[in-house]
């Protein structure tokens, strides 16, 4: 279904060239759920943009569903992009349209007649479990429901490949699980090939058949998920496996974390209170524009409140971020600088 041969993608910048994707060879079979994992800047998004024709390779060849992406343009490229559809971290819904209208949108663009469109939208709403919410607007939906709309819309034109770009990174753990289960269900029912990119190993472990680990634009290791878990070969893969197999916060973990970064520091943020929801907190941290990377950690919800720890890497002054975090209502946040690069 997908074949990349010696793919290089070079961005030419004034400050020098960036090899975002470097000599990638990869084959993904029909019906597979394939995961690509890597830290921020590894080249995952660029790889996804090469798969759906938003970018063309500097050299090498990208073949998806029988089409050589770098050779097609215009109508053929538009057709290819109907067959290779995508869901996003922040859902990318049309806010002024209802659930039904959002899902119908790609069908309208494809020129599907109204009667057929209505029928198809009803099927999709059932498939993703949104019955009863057809006339709601995105602002009236939970994060998980928004992603269900995103999935239904992506499936509208019967794609052959579904690309998932950090599709659960903005969701809490429970909702993440339900969306991942939906993807497995769709994969089984429709035989759809799914490629997902993530920086979270638990996502890979939960649903992927095979995984490729990316670092500096290259695929440094790939194989069956179970094998990679049992025998990770590269240092970076071992770190990803640790995300799901070992408790956080040991000195060793922190040292590993800092090895990735030439400068800055690692902070440990401990949250205790009523309001700490992982998506809320990670959104606050991500909005903060001083080069913050959320490395690891988890905030858990319990009956009586919530608690958890996040490790972040920050390049720059952390004081402003700390101030913002102190303003989260009913939440105590303790910040500790645990290592300097
Ligand atoms: P990831 O998705 O793994 O975070 P990306 O594919 O976004 O990684 O980025 C890989 C590298 O390519 C980074 O160094 C990034 O800065 C660079 N890059 C990505 N897109 C562009 C672009 N449009 N122009 C210039 N550099 C880019």
């Amino acid at each position: 279904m997908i074949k990349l041969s010696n793919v290089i993608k070079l961005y030419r910048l004034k400050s020098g060239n960036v090899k975002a994707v470097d000599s990638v060879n990869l084959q993904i079979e029909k019906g597979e759920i394939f995961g690509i994992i890597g830290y921020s800047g590894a080249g995952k998004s660029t790889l996804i943009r090469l798969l759906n024709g938003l970018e063309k390779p500097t050299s090498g060849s990208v073949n998806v569903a029988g089409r050589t992406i770098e050779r097609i343009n215009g109508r053929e490229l538009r057709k290819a992009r109907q067959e290779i559809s995508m869901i996003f971290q922040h859902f990318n819904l049309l806010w002024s349209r209802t659930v039904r209208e959002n899902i119908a949108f790609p069908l309208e663009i494809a020129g599907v007649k109204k009667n057929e469109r209505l029928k198809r939208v009803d099927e999709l709403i059932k498939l993703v479990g949104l019955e009863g919410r057809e006339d709601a607007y995105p602002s009236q939906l939970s994060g998980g429901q928004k992603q269900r709309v995103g999935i239904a819309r992506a499936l509208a034109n019967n794609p052959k490949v579904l690309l998932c770009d950090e599709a659960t990174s903005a969701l809490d753990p429970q909702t993440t699980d339900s969306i991942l289960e939906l993807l497995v269900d769709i994969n089984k029912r429709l035989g759809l090939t799914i490629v997902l990119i993530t920086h979270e190993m638990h996502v890979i472990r939960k649903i992927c058949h095979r995984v490729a680990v990316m670092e500096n634009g290259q695929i440094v290791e790939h194989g069956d998920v179970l094998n990679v878990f049992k025998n990770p070969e590269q240092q970076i893969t071992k770190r990803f496996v640790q995300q799901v197999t070992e408790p956080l916060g040991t000195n060793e973990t922190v040292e590993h974390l800092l090895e990735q970064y030439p400068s800055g520091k690692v902070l440990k943020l401990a949250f205790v209170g009523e309001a700490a929801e992982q998506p809320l907190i990670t959104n606050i941290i991500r909005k903060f524009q001083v080069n913050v990377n959320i490395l690891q950690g988890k905030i858990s919800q319990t009956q009586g409140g919530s608690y958890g720890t996040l490790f972040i890497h920050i390049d720059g002054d952390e004081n402003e971020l700390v101030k913002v975090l102190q303003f989260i209502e009913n939440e105590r946040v303790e910040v500790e600088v645990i290592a300097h690069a």
Side-chain angles (χ1 to χ4, degrees), residues 50-71:
L50 288 164
L51 290 176
N52 71 2
L54 276 175
E55 300 273 10
K56 301 228 162 163
T58 309
S59 65
S61 184
V62 179
N63 216 287
V64 186
R67 287 192 174 84
T68 307
I69 298 289
E70 70 273 15
R71 291 217 200 109

Side-chain angles (χ1 to χ4, degrees), residues 11 13 18 20 39-46 49 55:
Y11 290 112
L13 305 175
V18 179
Y39 292 112
S40 179
K44 307 180 298 293
S45 310
T46 306
R49 290 201 299 273
E55 300 273 10

Side-chain angles (χ1 to χ4, degrees), residues 133-254:
R133 304 299 281 149
E134 294 86 343
D135 298 318
Y137 287 89
S139 61
Q140 300 169 311
L141 302 176
S142 68
Q145 288 172 331
K146 284 183 202 139
Q147 195 56 291
R148 283 170 194 269
V149 179
I151 292 171
R153 182 183 57 182
L155 297 179
N157 284 315
N158 286 315
K160 293 186 174 152
V161 177
L162 178 65
L163 305 174
C164 309
D165 184 357
E166 298 279 2
T168 55
S169 299
L171 304 174
D172 63 64
Q174 227 175 333
T175 313
T176 293
D177 281 353
S178 71
I179 292 294
L180 294 178
E181 278 157 23
L182 176 62
L183 290 176
V184 171
D185 185 45
I186 288 166
N187 163 262
K188 284 200 184 128
R189 277 210 230 179
L190 310 178
L192 188 69
T193 308
I194 297 181
V195 181
L196 60 89
I197 64 174
T198 180
H199 62 282
E200 296 175 311
M201 200 62 169
H202 68 91
V203 169
I204 303 277
R205 188 177 63 166
K206 180 133 186 157
I207 69 166
C208 292
H209 306 130
R210 285 196 302 148
V211 59
V213 182
M214 272 192 98
E215 189 177 27
N216 299 325
Q218 297 181 331
I219 292 182
V220 293
E221 183 162 0
H222 73 283
D224 288 348
V225 169
L226 280 181
N227 285 343
V228 170
F229 260 86
K230 270 195 233 146
N231 304 305
E233 281 171 12
Q234 302 293 325
Q235 204 53 37
I236 184 174
T237 315
K238 288 180 189 163
R239 258 177 258 148
F240 279 121
V241 170
Q242 274 178 4
Q243 274 185 4
V244 282
T245 54
E246 281 184 15
L248 301 173
T250 62
N251 286 339
E252 206 192 357
T253 314
V254 171

Side-chain angles (χ1 to χ4, degrees), residues 89-105:
Q89 177 174 4
H90 297 296
F91 323 119
N92 296 16
L93 303 179
L94 299 166
W95 296 95
S96 59
R97 289 178 166 235
T98 63
V99 167
R100 200 193 297 276
E101 289 163 350
N102 265 283
I103 300 172
F105 192 62

